Amino acid sequence: MDTVWKELHSSYQEQNWIEKPSIFAETAIQYFPKNGKILELGAGHGQDSFFFAKQGYDVLSSDIEISSLNLNFTKQPEAIQDKVEILQLDLRNPLPLEDQSLDVVYAHLSLHYFDTQTTSFIIDEIKRILKPEGIFAFLSNSINDPEYSTGNSLEEDFFLINKVTKRYFSIASMRKFTQEFEVSLLDCLGKTYKDEAKGISNLVRFIGSKASRRNYLTAIPFVGAIIERVNKGILEVLIQTRWKPQTDPIYTGTFEFPVGTLDKPYESIYTALAREIDEECGLKLKNIIADSTTAIVESNKEDAVFGFRPFCCTQQLKNGKPWIGFVFICEVENTEPKFYSDESKDIKWVKASEIKQIFTQSPEKLFTLELPAWEYYFKEKNF
């Protein structure tokens, strides 16, 4: 392995981009704290480590093969050398660093060479050594790379290509590996100078923070609306594409009906329902099908309560956030939606029968939290 990396680093030494910071480093540093200690994993020639040091950070610059790193270190001004320490690390082994001792862990194209078990182990080690709210920045190969699925397949998205094992990430798989981190940036828009000539500009970028508190203290209530109409005798429902690539990349791109959090104390469920329909679709709530409520009951304790019957309720039982919500079947006044929300797109009326077909044949295309509501809906409509 050391010989492979020594040959690779040697081939890069004469490139005109080798002495300037990477494109990803210039992006990632915007998410870093103003000062602190950075560990770079797989630093190669050290250009990003030296860039971070020039910005005032203390840097641990590491690689499994450090001859090129040492060579370029000797070319740096003494002030930069004082800010950088070089470590030889094999990432397959535990990191020789104390728990919660670093502010940033940075990896530029160095963590996509391992099988699933080893990748998970490395990320667990990164989580261990990061301080609460510390930053993890990671650029990796993408499943959209021209090399993807060449060579010998070792496991899903993991191949042996020209004597080197390589993993190719999707946004979904990246989020799965980094699920213990709060996402600040996750997309497939990464670029490098060496790949620009090859036309590759779809590397996966991840920047996230170590959650200071993983567990939620309470469930999170939400309200949702299956909005329907009859158009020329055909039952239609309003569908939008969920679009939260940075905060919810796993479900981004799935179809959903409008939902929103009850984020105001004592706000009526019906007020929240109307607000969400208006904010997400630009539509006015006209009627709730089979609506049933009690009168508002007040007592001499100056409180007030009422009862209501939603069409159905759904609850998240594991992973994600602890959602629990109330779904209603609704009609709206103005029937053509307007694009208001920055968290959804492609709002449109679709035949209910088409959604039933998706529900039956490709349920993964629908937002998981809403699947039980669709099941109740199609039973109600005798589809």
Side-chain angles (χ1 to χ4, degrees):
M1 178 66 74
D2 288 7
T3 302
V4 172
W5 292 117
K6 189 170 184 177
E7 292 176 354
L8 186 62
H9 291 167
S10 178
S11 70
Y12 290 158
Q13 189 68 46
E14 303 303 320
Q15 300 299 318
N16 59 10
W17 42 261
I18 202 63
E19 294 184 359
K20 60 183 179 181
S22 68
I23 298 170
F24 183 59
E26 295 181 315
T27 297
I29 197 171
Q30 301 174 50
Y31 295 83
F32 293 178
K34 293 183 179 180
N35 50 59
K37 194 169 187 177
I38 297 174
L39 169 64
E40 180 175 4
L41 301 174
H45 292 258
Q47 65 268 37
D48 287 349
S49 290
F50 305 138
F51 167 67
F52 297 142
K54 290 174 184 177
Q55 310 308 312
Y57 295 94
D58 295 312
V59 182
L60 298 175
S61 186
S62 72
D63 208 304
I64 192 171
E65 196 287 313
I66 58 174
S67 59
S68 294
L69 189 54
N70 277 323
L71 175 62
N72 290 328
F73 175 78
T74 62
K75 299 177 183 179
Q76 302 302 312
E78 184 176 347
I80 300 303
Q81 292 183 11
D82 290 343
K83 303 286 286 184
V84 177
E85 178 182 352
I86 294 177
L87 300 175
Q88 186 169 26
L89 296 180
D90 185 337
L91 297 180
R92 295 167 294 186
N93 300 323
L95 297 174
L97 296 161
E98 295 182 0
D99 295 357
Q100 301 186 21
S101 58
L102 293 170
D103 299 284
V104 177
V105 174
Y106 171 85
H108 183 277
L109 299 179
S110 59
L111 300 188
H112 53 213
Y113 297 102
F114 308 99
D115 60 25
T116 297
Q117 182 177 354
T118 306
T119 303
S120 296
F121 166 76
I122 294 169
I123 293 176
D124 283 344
E125 279 291 281
I126 290 169
K127 184 179 67 172
R128 177 183 65 79
I129 63 177
L130 275 174
K131 298 176 182 178
E133 301 183 359
I135 301 299
F136 177 31
F138 174 15
L139 182 72
S140 75
N141 286 335
S142 162
I143 60 172
N144 297 310
D145 191 289
E147 279 191 340
Y148 178 76
S149 201
T150 63
N152 297 323
S153 176
L154 303 178
E155 61 178 40
E156 185 177 6
D157 299 335
F158 186 56
F159 306 89
L160 177 63
I161 302 173
N162 297 327
K163 299 181 180 181
V164 178
T165 55
K166 294 185 180 181
R167 172 170 297 283
Y168 296 85
F169 286 86
S170 64
I171 288 179
S173 66
M174 176 66 82
R175 190 64 192 109
K176 184 176 180 180
F177 279 110
T178 59
Q179 60 184 316
E180 298 294 328
F181 293 84
E182 298 292 337
V183 179
S184 298
L185 175 68
L186 177 53
D187 61 26
C188 53
L189 301 177
K191 300 179 182 180
T192 67
Y193 293 116
K194 72 182 181 66
D195 284 336
E196 279 188 327
K198 303 176 185 177
I200 299 173
S201 59
N202 49 23
L203 297 165
V204 177
R205 302 187 298 178
F206 173 83
I207 301 173
S209 58
K210 177 181 175 180
S212 58
R213 183 180 63 187
R214 175 63 178 168
N215 295 324
Y216 292 92
L217 298 179
T218 62
I220 304 173
F222 74 89
V223 63
I226 298 177
I227 303 172
E228 65 176 20
R229 74 175 183 183
V230 176
N231 182 30
K232 298 179 181 179
I234 298 175
L235 181 64
E236 297 178 335
V237 291
L238 196 65
I239 291 295
Q240 58 195 26
T241 301
R242 189 172 180 83
W243 200 254
K244 300 181 179 182
Q246 296 186 6
T247 59
D248 187 17
I250 291 178
Y251 297 118
T252 287
T254 57
F255 300 127
E256 65 171 2
F257 53 74
V259 294
T261 306
L262 275 73
D263 52 6
K264 298 179 181 180
Y266 306 114
E267 181 181 35
S268 163
I269 193 81
Y270 292 103
T271 302
L273 180 66
R275 172 171 52 80
E276 286 302 323
I277 292 173
D278 183 31
E279 289 180 356
E280 293 200 17
C281 309
L283 301 172
K284 300 299 181 183
L285 176 62
K286 175 183 178 182
N287 182 43
I288 299 173
I289 307 299
D291 186 27
S292 176
T293 67
T294 69
I296 296 175
V297 179
E298 300 185 42
S299 72
N300 57 11
K301 297 178 181 179
E302 297 185 354
D303 55 11
V305 299
F306 82 112
F308 62 91
R309 289 181 177 174
F311 170 66
C312 75
C313 300
T314 70
Q315 181 181 6
Q316 187 98 10
L317 294 178
K318 66 177 183 178
N319 294 329
K321 295 181 180 179
W323 298 110
I324 184 166
F326 314 96
V327 179
F328 298 83
I329 301 177
C330 303
E331 295 176 334
V332 291
E333 289 183 359
N334 40 336
T335 58
E336 294 307 318
K338 300 176 183 177
F339 182 71
Y340 277 14
S341 174
D342 59 358
E343 297 182 343
S344 62
K345 64 179 185 178
D346 300 331
I347 304 173
K348 58 187 176 182
W349 292 102
V350 177
K351 294 178 182 178
S353 58
E354 293 180 7
I355 301 301
K356 172 61 184 300
Q357 186 174 15
I358 294 172
F359 174 82
T360 303
Q361 298 179 1
S362 304
E364 71 279 2
K365 294 182 179 180
L366 300 172
F367 181 29
T368 304
L369 185 63
E370 298 179 351
L371 287 173
W374 285 122
E375 180 174 341
Y376 273 118
Y377 183 74
F378 295 131
K379 286 181 179 178
E380 176 84 8
K381 300 297 179 179
N382 294 317
F383 269 74

